[in-house]
Amino acid sequence: MKLQPLYRITVFVPPVHLQALKAGILAMDDLAAGGYSHGMWESAPGQEQFRVQEGTASTVGVAGELVRESSVRLEFCIPRDHGRLQRLLDAIAAHHPWNTPAVFVDSTEFAAP
């Protein structure tokens, strides 16, 4: 097996918006790698929380309120290509219900034959 440099993108999304987010991501990029496409991982719903700050036009909640929402962790990987990464981040922003979605990008390596 050889190590291949990748970006791992993790995004948290309410379960009711999961399929629309996945469709938006896959419309931008088929996530092809290693003889497969559409490779994604999702975890069972958990919970996210945030407090809306004064002056924020929040999709959910009002200023000062602590909001707790059900959330799914969605992950996928792509080869390290900054242009491709930026297009995917734009697709996430366009298809995610939150104003500021929780998106994390890690540089990592994947062991593949």
Side-chain angles (χ1 to χ4, degrees), residues 9-64:
I9 298 102
T10 304
V11 58
F12 294 87
V13 62
V16 299
H17 297 281
L18 177 63
Q19 294 308 316
L21 179 62
K22 288 170 62 174
I25 290 167
L26 293 170
M28 176 60 64
D29 190 304
D30 69 0
L31 306 179
Y36 298 91
S37 67
H38 294 73
M40 298 176 145
W41 300 269
E42 55 191 77
S43 299
Q47 191 173 69
E48 65 180 272
Q49 75 172 38
F50 52 89
R51 187 177 305 275
V52 180
Q53 293 184 327
E54 203 62 48
T56 300
S58 184
T59 306
V60 175
V62 296

Side-chain angles (χ1 to χ4, degrees), residues 49-92:
Q49 75 172 38
F50 52 89
R51 187 177 305 275
V52 180
Q53 293 184 327
E54 203 62 48
T56 300
S58 184
T59 306
V60 175
V62 296
E65 176 186 17
L66 183 63
V67 178
R68 290 186 177 92
E69 289 286 324
S70 185
S71 184
V72 173
R73 178 184 181 126
L74 177 66
E75 293 184 271
F76 56 93
C77 295
I78 59 168
R80 286 190 203 160
D81 173 333
H82 191 73
R84 188 175 179 186
L85 173 62
Q86 189 58 59
R87 288 188 298 278
L88 284 163
L89 293 175
D90 291 344
I92 291 169

